[in-house]
Amino acid sequence: MLKFVILFPLYLVVLFVLELLAPVEHWVVVPWTAALADISAWLMRLFDSDVVAHGNVIASASSGFAISIERGCNGIEAVIILVAAMLAYPARWRDRLLGLVAGFFAVQSVNLVRIISLYYLGNWNRQWFDWFHLYVWQALIVVDALVVFLIWLSWTRRRETRPPPPPAMAAA
C-alpha cells in the first residue's frame, strides 16, 4: 500500500506535466479534443440536423449558439488520474492494459454524454449550463474515473485469488 501511496502522486505529476508539453498538446490534446467535438456532433446529428462542428467547437447552425471543448473538458485529466492509479497499483501488465483500454472508453463515453448534455443545456438556459458545467459534470467525470478504477481493482483482485487450473491429465 505504501508503494501505491508514493507512486500514484508521482505518476500524476509526471503525466500532468507531459500533458502540458507543446508536442503533446499539438499531437494528442488538440486532435483528441477536435475528435470529441466531431464525435459529439455526429451523435447529435442523428437526431438534430442543426448541429455542426469545427475544430473544438460545436454549434447550432440556426441559433448561432456554440460551445467550445477546452482543456479540462476533454476527459484527458480524468483519464490521467485513472492511468496513474492503474500504473501505481501492483497488478499484472496484461490486467493493467485491459483496464486502461476499458477505462479510457468508459471515461470518454461519459464525457460524450457530458458534452452533449452541456450543449443542449447551454442552448436552453445559460444558468443551468454554468451550474452543470462547473459543479455537476466536473465531479461526475472524476467519480467516473474512480468507479472505473474500483471496478478494475475488484476484477484484478478476483483474478489474483482464483485457484490455478488443475494440471492437465496425461493421456493413458
Side-chain angles (χ1 to χ4, degrees):
M1 184 61 153
L2 179 61
K3 186 176 176 183
F4 179 85
V5 171
I6 292 168
L7 288 177
F8 177 62
L10 179 66
Y11 287 142
L12 278 177
V13 169
V14 168
L15 291 170
F16 276 117
V17 167
L18 283 174
E19 181 202 16
L20 295 174
L21 296 177
V24 175
E25 173 81 17
H26 178 74
W27 294 103
V28 178
V29 176
V30 170
W32 175 249
T33 307
L36 268 179
D38 288 337
I39 294 166
S40 299
W42 179 82
L43 288 169
M44 289 186 276
R45 275 194 302 270
L46 294 173
F47 306 99
D48 182 357
S49 62
D50 190 49
V51 178
V52 294
H54 180 70
N56 65 333
V57 175
I58 303 170
S60 166
S62 62
S63 74
F65 173 78
I67 62 170
S68 174
I69 304 170
E70 299 295 334
R71 179 178 289 283
C73 298
N74 55 16
I76 291 175
E77 289 78 6
V79 169
I80 285 174
I81 294 167
L82 182 63
V83 168
M86 287 184 180
L87 290 178
Y89 184 78
R92 294 185 310 207
W93 281 102
R94 181 176 180 269
D95 292 346
R96 285 180 179 153
L97 183 60
L98 289 171
L100 291 171
V101 170
F104 174 83
F105 283 106
V107 169
Q108 291 301 335
S109 295
V110 171
N111 199 41
L112 283 171
V113 171
R114 171 185 183 264
I115 291 165
I116 293 168
S117 71
L118 288 174
Y119 170 82
Y120 286 111
L121 276 169
N123 207 5
W124 172 65
N125 184 301
R126 179 60 192 230
Q127 287 179 307
W128 281 101
F129 168 87
D130 289 339
W131 193 79
F132 271 84
H133 180 250
L134 295 174
Y135 301 111
V136 176
W137 277 115
Q138 294 280 27
L140 286 179
I141 291 296
V142 175
V143 168
D144 178 35
L146 175 63
V147 168
V148 168
F149 176 69
L150 292 174
I151 290 169
W152 173 81
L153 190 61
S154 173
W155 174 76
T156 303
R157 286 186 169 177
R158 274 195 315 269
R159 288 177 49 89
E160 290 172 356
T161 59
R162 247 189 241 157
M169 301 211 23

